[in-house]
Amino acid sequence: MTPKPKKKKFAKAPPAKVRAAKSAKTRNPKRPARALGTDPHRVAAILAKLDEAYPSATCELHHNNAFELLIATILSAQCTDARVNQVTETLFKKYPDAKAFAYANPSELEQEIRPTGFFRNKTKSVMGACRGILQNFGGEVPRSMDEILTLPGVARKTGNVVLGTAFGIPSGIVVDTHVQRISNRLDLTRNEDPKKIEQDLMHVIPKDKWILFSHQIIWHGRRVCQARKPKCVECNLESLCYAKDKTV
Ligand code: SF4
């Protein structure tokens, strides 16, 4: 008789308790024994270093107003800002406002935004958001998180980008892939879920820093603290960082 194959333990994800124990074992031993690195002095030191490295960090999506930034941000999902900027350079000439997008020919628009990827969904989001702006907000991008979240294709990340960058409203902290990775590396959170990370960061970062901090971390992630091989030797936060995947 052929013996029954042994069931693989944890064929899917292991339970949370096991994951936590494993993560504790693999944590960098140099890291001081504390749950999170969020004491105000350490956070202030991180912010000072970010100010030193990126004093004028801002959104890298080209735009002339809040509306253009909203469209560019929707298009930037899973796409580089450089690619979005190439597309919007001609797109905004053809579609200068919400009305133009709302009444666009969807197949034409799909082809125009195709280089940004996920073009069918993005077309639906862009046209839906523009219809929402026309129908509910008099053709203007709304200025509150509750209102902007009613637009199709707009979640908190996009809302924070637009409200923060275009209107200077600190509605929250933008949590993209860079902020997600670096806030964990810097021990500012232990969460992986963007909504929880945002809540954690909003507790430890002073509100008047929310907008700049988001841009600074995104810049840091693009230039230095990259996902695969962070350039720790060039990083001015190195003395404050105990990430287990540090390269120095
Ligand atoms: S030391 Fe390395 S891992 Fe830590 S923040 Fe700097 S680049 Fe990122």
Side-chain angles (χ1 to χ4, degrees):
M1 210 169 88
T2 333
K4 266 190 180 175
K6 273 189 185 173
K7 266 193 184 173
K8 248 191 183 179
K9 253 188 177 181
F10 309 136
K12 292 177 185 169
K17 264 189 184 173
V18 176
R19 283 204 306 272
K22 202 174 166 190
S23 139
K25 269 186 203 165
T26 53
R27 194 166 292 291
N28 187 334
K30 277 200 287 179
R31 185 175 179 277
R34 61 173 177 237
L36 276 174
T38 54
D39 74 81
H41 293 298
R42 181 173 185 273
V43 172
I46 290 174
L47 294 175
K49 294 277 186 190
L50 287 170
D51 284 347
E52 192 182 288
Y54 313 107
S56 52
T58 188
C59 181
E60 293 183 288
L61 290 167
H62 296 169
H63 62 282
N64 294 303
N65 51 49
F67 173 72
E68 288 187 0
L69 181 58
L70 173 67
I71 302 301
T73 310
I74 293 174
L75 297 180
S76 72
Q78 309 287 319
C79 182
T80 63
D81 286 2
R83 177 66 59 88
V84 173
N85 289 338
Q86 276 173 4
V87 168
T88 54
E89 196 183 334
T90 49
L91 196 70
F92 291 149
K93 285 181 187 141
K94 182 169 175 186
Y95 305 98
D97 52 23
K99 197 173 173 187
F101 276 108
Y103 294 105
N105 176 325
S107 331
E108 258 177 47
L109 185 55
E110 276 181 3
Q111 292 315 309
E112 285 156 344
I113 65 171
R114 193 181 181 123
T116 68
F118 303 98
F119 56 95
R120 290 198 181 91
N121 278 341
K122 287 182 183 176
T123 297
K124 280 184 198 145
S125 296
V126 165
M127 293 184 70
C130 289
R131 278 188 216 115
I133 288 172
L134 284 182
Q135 286 163 10
N136 305 320
F137 303 106
E140 300 292 328
V141 176
R143 290 176 180 241
S144 78
M145 183 57 89
D146 284 348
E147 289 174 320
I148 208 166
L149 288 178
T150 65
L151 302 175
V154 176
R156 280 198 67 88
K157 187 180 86 172
T158 302
N160 281 327
V161 170
V162 175
L163 295 172
T165 306
F167 298 134
I169 299 169
S171 51
I173 291 178
V174 178
V175 180
D176 72 345
T177 177
H178 300 296
V179 178
Q180 193 173 0
R181 177 179 72 255
I182 296 169
S183 53
N184 267 283
R185 279 179 173 165
L186 288 175
D187 297 319
L188 298 175
T189 181
R190 288 279 177 271
N191 281 305
E192 294 296 330
D193 172 56
K195 278 187 193 157
K196 289 182 184 165
I197 293 175
E198 189 188 354
Q199 288 306 311
D200 289 346
L201 293 176
M202 285 164 74
H203 276 114
V204 297
I205 307 295
K207 191 169 184 179
D208 63 349
K209 282 284 188 178
W210 286 357
I211 299 172
L212 184 59
F213 174 81
S214 305
H215 294 311
Q216 287 173 326
I217 293 288
I218 293 168
W219 277 38
H220 189 53
R222 287 180 178 157
R223 290 157 177 78
V224 180
C225 191
Q226 289 148 357
R228 287 197 186 163
K229 272 195 183 172
K231 298 176 185 166
C232 304
V233 73
E234 294 174 22
C235 178
N236 76 337
L237 290 161
E238 195 272 326
S239 61
L240 293 163
C241 177
Y242 300 94
K244 63 180 185 233
D245 53 351
K246 260 172 78 169
T247 53
V248 288

